[in-house]
């Protein structure tokens, strides 16, 4: 009986030793798969953030140009003729070269928010995107308000009353201020994304390196 137990123990021990490499191989494969999934997620996030940074930087530059070359000249011209009841709004717009309403919407990130790529994005970054959307909606609303004002029955482009010019001056100044706020929010997002993008790149390299090492050990 004792010999049987001893023989069984040797067999069990041999089987256990044979199973150890198998178990290690399974665990290594699971680790490799997990790391590679994280790597792919980080790379997709890096691509998403990089695309958004490019889009927001483009919109920011467009806003700066519209403010500098279209809107500020109109506000300056309006200020010169604001009390001149002989110069209508239409002529003021002509002298200034128009006003210029920028294209502010960047919608690509809104659909991306519903994908798995953004599930683990930093809350501060997502909050920054929400503020950008809110500001974009505000500018769109102000644009519609100005159009409604200029083409309303009570005020037309041929209106030369000082009070009409004063009201338009207030609306345009508020509009430009809202644009400048959006520019600052674009800059805020770009800075946040740049810091996060750098971290994602470093993490991706580390994950890739570790996955390669585990793969090498497993193959041995």
């Amino acid at each position: 009986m004792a010999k049987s137990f001893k023989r069984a123990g040797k067999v069990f021990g041999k089987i256990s030793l044979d199973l150890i490499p198998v178990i290690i191989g399974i665990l290594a494969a699971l680790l490799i798969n997990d790391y590679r999934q994280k790597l792919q997620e980080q790379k997709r996030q890096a691509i998403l953030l990089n695309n958004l940074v490019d889009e927001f930087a483009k919109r920011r530059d467009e806003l700066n140009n519209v403010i500098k070359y279209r809107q500020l000249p109109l506000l300056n011209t309006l200020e010169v003729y604001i009390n001149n009841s002989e110069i209508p709004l239409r002529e003021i717009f002509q002298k200034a070269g128009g006003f210029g309403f920028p294209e502010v919407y960047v919608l690509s990130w809104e659909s991306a928010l519903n994908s798995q790529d953004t599930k683990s994005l930093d809350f501060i970054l997502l909050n920054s995107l929400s503020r950008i959307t809110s500001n974009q909606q505000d500018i769109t609303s102000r644009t519609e308000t100005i159009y409604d004002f200029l083409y309303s029955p009570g005020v037309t482009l041929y209106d030369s009353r000082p009070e009409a010019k004063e009201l338009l001056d207030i609306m345009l100044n508020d509009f430009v201020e809202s644009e400048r706020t959006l520019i600052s929010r674009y800059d805020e997002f770009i800075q946040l994304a740049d810091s996060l993008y750098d971290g994602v790149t470093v993490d991706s390299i580390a994950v890739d390196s570790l996955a390669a090492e585990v793969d090498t050990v497993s193959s041995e």
Side-chain angles (χ1 to χ4, degrees):
M1 180 67 72
K3 290 182 178 180
S4 298
F5 277 115
K6 187 175 182 180
R7 188 179 301 112
K10 289 182 179 179
V11 172
F12 180 77
K14 186 176 184 305
I15 293 174
S16 298
L17 289 174
D18 291 339
L19 285 175
I20 289 176
V22 176
I23 295 173
I24 291 176
I26 294 173
L27 291 176
L30 291 174
L31 284 172
I32 292 171
N33 184 60
D34 182 59
Y35 280 126
R36 284 176 175 167
Q37 286 181 352
K38 290 181 179 178
L39 173 62
Q40 291 303 317
E41 179 184 357
Q42 289 179 330
K43 286 182 177 179
R44 289 194 299 268
Q45 287 183 359
I47 292 172
L48 171 64
L49 292 177
N50 192 49
N51 289 338
L52 286 174
V53 165
D54 289 343
E55 287 190 61
F56 289 149
K58 179 181 178 181
R59 298 300 184 192
R60 177 198 59 195
D61 294 342
E62 289 174 352
L63 274 174
N64 277 319
N65 286 332
V66 168
I67 291 173
K68 181 177 180 180
Y69 297 109
R70 299 292 299 279
Q71 298 171 354
L72 291 183
L74 175 60
L75 284 169
N76 292 334
T77 305
L78 184 60
E79 183 178 352
V80 171
Y81 297 103
I82 197 166
N83 292 316
N84 190 329
S85 57
E86 297 181 359
I87 304 295
L89 291 173
R90 179 175 177 274
E91 188 172 338
I92 292 175
F93 274 92
Q94 289 176 337
K95 290 178 180 294
F99 180 64
F101 292 97
E103 179 65 43
V104 296
Y105 262 98
V106 179
L107 299 176
S108 60
W109 74 269
E110 295 184 0
S111 59
L113 286 179
N114 297 320
S115 70
Q116 292 296 322
D117 296 339
T118 58
K119 296 302 181 183
S120 59
L121 282 183
D122 192 285
F123 171 77
I124 297 177
L125 198 61
L126 293 175
N127 193 39
S128 177
L129 286 171
S130 297
R131 288 197 297 271
I132 286 174
T133 295
S134 176
N135 213 156
Q136 289 174 336
Q137 292 171 345
D138 176 65
I139 290 177
T140 298
S141 176
R142 291 179 184 276
T143 300
E144 294 172 354
T145 300
I146 293 174
Y147 270 120
D148 290 342
F149 171 79
L150 292 175
Y151 295 98
S152 65
V155 177
T156 69
L157 288 174
Y158 293 95
D159 199 325
S160 60
R161 293 174 299 164
E163 53 267 31
K165 296 174 186 175
E166 289 173 359
L167 182 55
L168 179 60
D169 181 69
I170 293 173
M171 296 170 66
L172 294 181
N173 273 292
D174 287 344
F175 188 90
V176 171
E177 187 60 32
S178 183
E179 290 175 310
R180 285 171 171 160
T181 299
L182 180 57
I183 289 172
S184 67
R185 288 180 176 168
Y186 281 153
D187 286 335
E188 175 191 65
F189 177 86
I190 291 171
Q191 292 173 3
L192 288 171
D194 282 345
S195 63
L196 183 58
Y197 180 78
D198 290 341
V200 167
T201 303
V202 172
D203 291 343
S204 298
I205 294 173
V207 170
D208 204 13
S209 176
L210 184 56
E213 290 179 10
V214 174
D215 202 5
T216 300
V217 171
S218 177
S219 63
E220 294 176 351

